[in-house]
Amino acid sequence: MAHSHAHHHRDGHDLPTRFYLFGGKGGVGKTTLAAANALRLATAGERTLLVSTDPAHSVSDLLETRLGAEPTAAGDNLWAMEIDPEADARAYVEGIREDAESAVSKAVLPALDRHLKLAVQAPGTAESALFDRFTRIMEWCPQRFDRVVFDTAPSGHTLRLLTLPSMLGAWVEGLQAQRAKVNKLQGMWRSMAGVREPEREDRVLVRLRQRAERFAQARQRLHDESVFHPVLQAERLPIEETARVIEQLRDTHIPVGALYVNRLWPADERSAFVTERVAQQNEYLAEIRDRFAGQELIEVAQSARDIVGRSQLEALASRLSTPGVG
């Protein structure tokens, strides 16, 4: 279990790993592996929150617990929640609209609404909303939870946005200066007109400033206290996808942990099909070992059937925590 308290030495920090991000294309089994890891951490006595963004609610099925948008107890030291990125995107855009409403003239509202309707569907909005949500969840740790496991990390592309909060900060500062000038002018008019009303703190700015600060903090914590676990299969596309994500992560300084090579078929001399299948898989495995030589590999055997329900998940979790395996 040593791994759950792994200390990464970065920039002289010696902080425990608090955030486990599982990444990889759909269908490689990252939700199952994230859930198994969350279970493993909880069993080791860590208060663990598993955050799922899987629309199929498979985590509810795996943990045999009905989950919602708030953390729900799912066993000793284990909590889980399911996020709906689309609902989050709508709420996120609605928040922007409310802020804008108090800041823009009524005349531009219809145009703004049209723009925001498109924004909800725009690629990137759901990811921004998801990322916004991730940063909020991160703030629950370490007070409410010791560890947080995300079954779907934002893509390398989104995580790269993390390297831009400095820009967001500068942008907010610029806006602030501009708004302060307007407010000051309004204040002068008011005092000339003899109107005494307390200045309404600018909601848009407050929200933006808070967000810029939260993002900057999340970026620092992802750098210091998180580990990204790519999940792949011994197949061509997942290998290329993993290489791409690792490359994208290089700019974000988020450490890449062990690679989970999932769904490895066992050899069976009696079947020509399986023998052929395993031979191809072994060629890909050799390539994985070669291309990702710097990373620890955790090889996970294919279960004969899909892992459903708690007991199978527990069996997988205990398989993962065998000595020498993360």
Side-chain angles (χ1 to χ4, degrees), residues 212-227:
E213 281 164 18
R214 206 172 65 238
F215 273 31
Q217 202 187 358
R219 177 171 134 216
Q220 191 57 49
R221 295 193 73 189
L222 280 172
H223 184 262
D224 291 339
E225 303 170 73
S226 70
V227 61

Side-chain angles (χ1 to χ4, degrees), residues 44-303:
E46 302 285 316
R47 293 171 306 162
T48 306
L49 173 65
L50 172 62
V51 180
S52 170
T53 52
D54 180 17
H57 304 296
S58 54
V59 170
S60 284
D61 298 340
L62 283 168
L63 295 176
E64 294 171 9
T65 309
R66 280 198 58 136
L67 303 174
E70 286 302 311
T72 303
D76 287 346
N77 293 318
L78 185 63
W79 289 261
M81 62 192 284
E82 282 180 342
I83 291 174
D84 173 357
E86 280 185 15
D88 263 18
R90 285 194 300 273
Y92 177 74
V93 170
E94 188 49 45
I96 295 173
R97 187 193 190 281
E98 278 173 23
D99 287 347
E101 220 175 356
S102 64
V104 303
S105 73
K106 295 284 172 276
V108 296
L109 273 178
L112 180 78
D113 277 342
R114 278 199 301 279
H115 172 73
L116 291 178
K117 268 205 186 71
L118 288 172
V120 175
Q121 277 113 44
T125 302
E127 280 206 313
S128 292
L130 188 59
F131 187 67
D132 203 59
R133 175 71 86 102
F134 273 24
T135 60
R136 289 169 198 275
I137 291 171
M138 286 170 76
E139 291 177 343
W140 293 342
C141 182
Q143 289 76 23
R144 275 177 79 177
F145 305 104
D146 300 309
R147 317 276 152 171
V148 182
V149 179
F150 293 100
D151 86 335
T152 302
S155 67
H157 170 70
T158 309
L159 289 170
R160 224 200 204 126
L161 295 174
L162 272 187
T163 53
L164 305 177
S166 47
M167 274 176 55
L168 183 62
W171 187 64
V172 170
E173 292 309 309
L175 254 177
Q176 235 164 319
Q178 205 185 334
R179 299 298 294 252
K181 251 189 285 192
V182 173
N183 286 345
K184 201 165 158 197
L185 279 171
Q186 284 180 340
M188 278 167 54
W189 282 113
R190 281 199 206 100
S191 58
M192 281 165 64
V195 181
R196 280 266 161 269
E197 65 170 270
E199 292 254 343
R200 185 176 55 77
E201 171 75 279
D202 201 316
R203 258 171 62 197
V204 185
L205 278 180
V206 173
R207 185 83 61 100
L208 277 171
R209 203 174 332 136
Q210 284 170 345
R211 225 176 130 210
E213 281 164 18
R214 206 172 65 238
F215 273 31
Q217 202 187 358
R219 177 171 134 216
Q220 191 57 49
R221 295 193 73 189
L222 280 172
H223 184 262
D224 291 339
E225 303 170 73
S226 70
V227 61
F228 183 100
H229 288 294
V231 180
L232 71 162
Q233 285 169 237
E235 291 165 14
R236 169 61 50 222
L237 287 174
I239 290 174
E240 299 306 334
E241 163 72 8
T242 302
R244 206 163 43 240
V245 169
I246 290 177
E247 185 53 47
Q248 287 175 339
L249 284 173
R250 201 158 281 148
D251 310 343
T252 61
H253 307 295
I254 294 172
V256 177
L259 269 66
Y260 283 86
V261 188
N262 198 18
R263 309 216 167 123
L264 292 173
W265 283 43
D268 177 2
E269 285 72 54
R270 289 162 312 181
S271 160
F273 172 83
V274 174
T275 302
E276 198 58 36
R277 177 93 206 188
V278 171
Q280 177 185 294
Q281 172 180 285
N282 288 340
E283 285 163 28
Y284 283 133
L285 258 179
E287 183 184 338
I288 289 169
R289 291 189 184 118
D290 184 45
R291 281 177 74 169
F292 307 111
Q295 307 302 138
E296 183 194 350
L297 295 183
I298 295 176
E299 297 175 8
V300 186
Q302 167 77 50
S303 305

